[in-house]
Amino acid sequence: MSEEVHLPTVLFADDDPHIRTLLSDTLTQAGFAVLAAEDGLSLIQIAQEQLPDIILIDLMLPGVDGYEAIRQLRNDTRTAHLPIIIVTARTNPSDVVIGFDTGADDYITKPFNDAELVARIRSLLRRVTKRPVRNPLTGLPGNVLIGEEVRYRLQRGEPFTLLYTDINEFKAFNDKYGFARGDQVIRLVAQLCEQAQQFFAPHAIFVGHIGGDDFVLLCPSTVAADLALWLVDQFEQAALSLYDEEDRQRGYLVGYDRAGNLRHIPLATMAVGGVSSRLDATVDELSREAAAMKHAAKVFGTSAVIIDHVRLR
């Protein structure tokens, strides 16, 4: 029995039914599965529900235009990693520049040559498959997409805060219970970060997973403190369920430190460091400053939040 062959899925939107038919036929003949939408809002909804491999976006869509569609897709962790090609009849270079600043990966002008369009789609898919863009454990955007999102927000110039989270005593938890239950802790943090996106909606909150127990959240500076404190509180409550009853009742683990000394190890807590954006900052500078705030928060050995050198908890 032969294995089912996965066809790369292309999602596109066009308000002209004739063009939708022609484009669907072209892409199908080229070996792609096709999803078609009539407007920008439908395109966003289909992308979120069916997660295509690549998206073609016309800048001149009815209702939600191409710029806004790209922005919403890039601000949603489900679709932030998807490669996007702008399809536009506009010849002004500034229109294309705005599209790239919003988060597009490539563009092609109308009327386009079918062979060129297919070649661009295949080329972009090849580039994307060569770089890991999502963490395999949580499915959240990894370092590449985190960097792109920070850069995008810096370009927009709107104030935001980069929050960097870390779990205190995570190694001790892993040593006691094993890596499988350690992965449950990591998934718990991922779930809480995604719940924060819903709890603090409609604020645009981006969640990324650096690796291990390190996560990043980007949010408007106006909600950064409340978001960090909410996340710490939720983690303290939820993490208790991952401990054995004996350890939970006792309130600590019994284990050996690196020097071989028997000690009481506190239950896991969360440290959060944060740094506010600056117009002249780079991605590297903000990441290093947020890491410094996180390390300062970890010094306390319990749940702590430090943003811009101010301890909030």
Side-chain angles (χ1 to χ4, degrees):
M1 185 174 180
S2 61
E3 295 184 1
E4 182 179 352
V5 178
H6 170 71
L7 298 179
T9 300
V10 180
L11 168 63
F12 72 90
D14 201 293
D15 59 337
D16 186 328
H18 178 64
I19 294 179
R20 285 201 303 275
T21 299
L22 290 176
L23 192 51
S24 293
D25 290 344
T26 297
L27 295 174
T28 299
Q29 291 173 13
F32 297 105
V34 178
L35 297 171
E38 298 179 359
D39 52 49
L41 182 59
S42 298
L43 180 137
I44 294 169
Q45 293 172 340
I46 294 172
Q48 292 169 338
E49 294 170 359
Q50 302 196 42
L51 293 179
D53 294 290
I54 192 168
I55 301 175
L56 307 182
I57 294 184
D58 194 320
L59 294 180
M60 300 176 65
L61 292 173
V64 176
D65 65 16
Y67 299 120
E68 178 62 17
I70 296 172
R71 188 192 69 80
Q72 291 192 31
L73 291 169
R74 288 298 184 232
N75 282 331
D76 188 320
T77 55
R78 292 168 293 182
T79 57
H81 67 294
L82 298 177
I84 296 174
I85 297 178
I86 293 172
V87 181
T88 179
R90 298 179 179 179
T91 57
N92 190 332
S94 64
D95 293 324
V96 176
V97 170
I98 294 173
F100 280 125
D101 286 344
T102 306
D105 299 288
D106 197 359
Y107 82 99
I108 188 169
T109 57
K110 289 181 176 180
F112 51 79
N113 177 276
D114 290 350
E116 181 185 0
L117 176 63
V118 170
R120 284 182 179 272
I121 292 173
R122 288 175 175 162
S123 175
L124 183 53
L125 285 173
R126 282 195 299 271
R127 295 203 305 269
V128 169
T129 55
K130 289 180 181 178
R131 61 180 187 181
V133 295
R134 285 190 168 250
N135 185 279
L137 178 61
T138 62
L140 291 173
N143 292 344
V144 171
L145 291 177
I146 293 171
E148 289 182 357
E149 182 67 18
V150 174
R151 192 172 296 106
Y152 164 66
R153 295 197 179 206
L154 286 171
Q155 289 174 344
R156 291 186 63 188
E158 297 179 5
F160 70 91
T161 297
L162 191 162
L163 298 175
Y164 193 166
T165 76
D166 188 90
I167 305 304
N168 297 317
E169 306 297 350
F170 178 67
K171 182 180 184 303
F173 184 96
N174 255 356
D175 289 344
K176 171 65 184 292
Y177 294 118
F179 67 87
R181 202 183 300 188
D183 285 351
Q184 292 182 38
V185 175
I186 295 173
R187 291 193 188 96
L188 170 62
V189 178
Q191 292 167 5
L192 293 176
C193 288
E194 292 180 316
Q195 289 173 18
Q197 290 179 306
Q198 303 302 319
F199 189 81
F200 287 88
H203 298 287
I205 297 172
F206 174 90
V207 177
H209 186 182
I210 296 173
D213 58 325
D214 292 342
F215 290 78
V216 162
L217 297 94
L218 306 178
C219 64
S221 295
T222 53
V223 301
D226 290 340
L227 172 57
L229 293 170
W230 180 90
L231 197 58
V232 166
D233 288 340
Q234 296 298 311
F235 177 79
E236 281 192 339
Q237 298 173 36
L240 289 175
S241 65
L242 298 178
Y243 285 86
D244 287 350
E245 181 65 22
E246 179 184 2
D247 294 329
R248 186 165 56 246
Q249 292 296 329
R250 187 172 51 211
Y252 58 85
L253 298 177
V254 177
Y256 291 91
D257 60 21
R258 294 182 178 179
N261 301 314
L262 188 68
R263 58 182 286 254
H264 294 169
I265 303 170
L267 302 185
T269 54
M270 178 178 285
V272 181
V275 61
S276 299
S277 62
R278 305 185 309 275
L279 292 179
D280 62 340
T282 65
V283 176
D284 182 61
E285 289 170 345
L286 288 183
S287 64
R288 283 190 284 109
E289 292 168 14
M293 294 299 102
K294 183 201 71 171
H295 288 307
K298 284 184 70 67
V299 169
F300 295 97
T302 185
S303 290
V305 176
I306 297 180
I307 299 177
D308 295 330
H309 300 280
V310 176
R311 186 180 180 189
L312 305 177
R313 172 174 173 162

